Amino acid sequence: MSRVGKLPIALPAGVTITVSAENVVTVKGPKGELHQAVDSDITVEQEEGNLIVKRPSEQKRHKALHGLYRALINNMVVGVTTGYKVEQELVGVGYRATNTGNTLDLVLGYSHHYVFELPQEIKVSTTAEKGKNPTIILESIDKQLIGQVAAKIRSLRAPEPYKGKGIKFVGEVLRRKAGKSASKK
């Protein structure tokens, strides 16, 4: 049995889960509501304050889907209770980030600004303290969406291995390289 799939999902107080006839799981909590379509072969059952995901057979496809949907539903439960937060840091001279509402304006050393319109499900804030690198803070209840947006922002100027300039996640350790060494004569 799948090690991830067989684990029950604990439902905190204030979280309700409904499964429709089309096998669409809806999770409602204090921070919002999320939906996930589940494969018709996988069943989702609620028992004693826990949610259990079951598969019909030991086929390789069913084993893969079993763990996948259990993880997705668990991410939804965590999202509607505590939410997700991603912090990114801009390392480089003259790199800046500002936001107005859900529009992010980035200055990344190119000849132009990047104006990035974020989905309405994501809240963004920026900080720029003197002596520290500018920071972008993303908050959302949808783990998949926040990860995708954070990866897109990072791809605008990925950190380079020599000086470490670029957009990186806070706490991310970059693999650094030594530069060219002087020739020996």
Side-chain angles (χ1 to χ4, degrees), residues 8-11 45-52:
I9 301 168
L11 296 179
E45 298 171 359
Q46 199 165 347
E47 296 174 5
E48 303 161 7
N50 288 331
L51 201 67
I52 297 168

Side-chain angles (χ1 to χ4, degrees), residues 9-173:
I9 301 168
L11 296 179
V15 174
T16 58
I17 293 185
T18 56
V19 182
S20 69
E22 298 87 37
N23 231 15
V24 175
V25 176
T26 304
V27 180
K28 288 183 188 173
K31 291 201 170 219
E33 179 178 334
L34 292 170
H35 308 280
Q36 175 65 49
V38 177
D39 192 88
S40 59
D41 293 340
I42 305 295
T43 57
V44 180
E45 298 171 359
Q46 199 165 347
E47 296 174 5
E48 303 161 7
N50 288 331
L51 201 67
I52 297 168
V53 180
K54 295 183 179 176
R55 66 174 182 243
S57 72
E58 294 294 315
Q59 289 180 17
K60 191 170 185 173
R61 178 178 169 276
H62 289 156
K63 285 182 180 181
L65 292 176
H66 187 212
L68 169 75
Y69 285 120
R70 190 266 175 206
L72 290 177
I73 294 169
N74 187 54
N75 288 344
M76 290 164 56
V77 171
V78 172
V80 296
T81 53
T82 58
Y84 291 101
K85 183 177 181 179
V86 173
E87 294 184 36
Q88 293 179 309
E89 191 175 28
L90 280 70
V91 180
V93 177
Y95 290 12
R96 291 191 314 269
T98 55
N99 71 301
T100 51
N102 256 19
T103 305
L104 188 62
D105 186 13
L106 300 169
V107 178
L108 300 172
Y110 296 115
S111 61
H112 56 281
H113 291 237
Y114 275 103
V115 179
F116 199 82
E117 186 68 37
L118 295 165
Q120 63 183 17
E121 295 90 357
I122 293 181
K123 290 188 215 88
V124 64
S125 61
T126 55
T127 60
E129 298 174 22
K130 190 170 177 100
K132 292 187 178 178
N133 293 325
T135 308
I136 303 168
I137 301 163
L138 304 172
E139 293 182 54
S140 178
I141 61 173
D142 192 343
K143 186 176 186 179
Q144 186 175 349
L145 181 65
I146 198 171
Q148 186 176 355
V149 169
K152 179 64 179 168
I153 291 171
R154 185 179 191 271
S155 73
L156 297 176
R157 180 69 108 172
E160 52 94 17
Y162 298 102
K163 290 185 177 179
K165 290 170 48 174
I167 301 174
K168 68 181 195 88
F169 295 103
V170 171
E172 179 182 6
V173 178

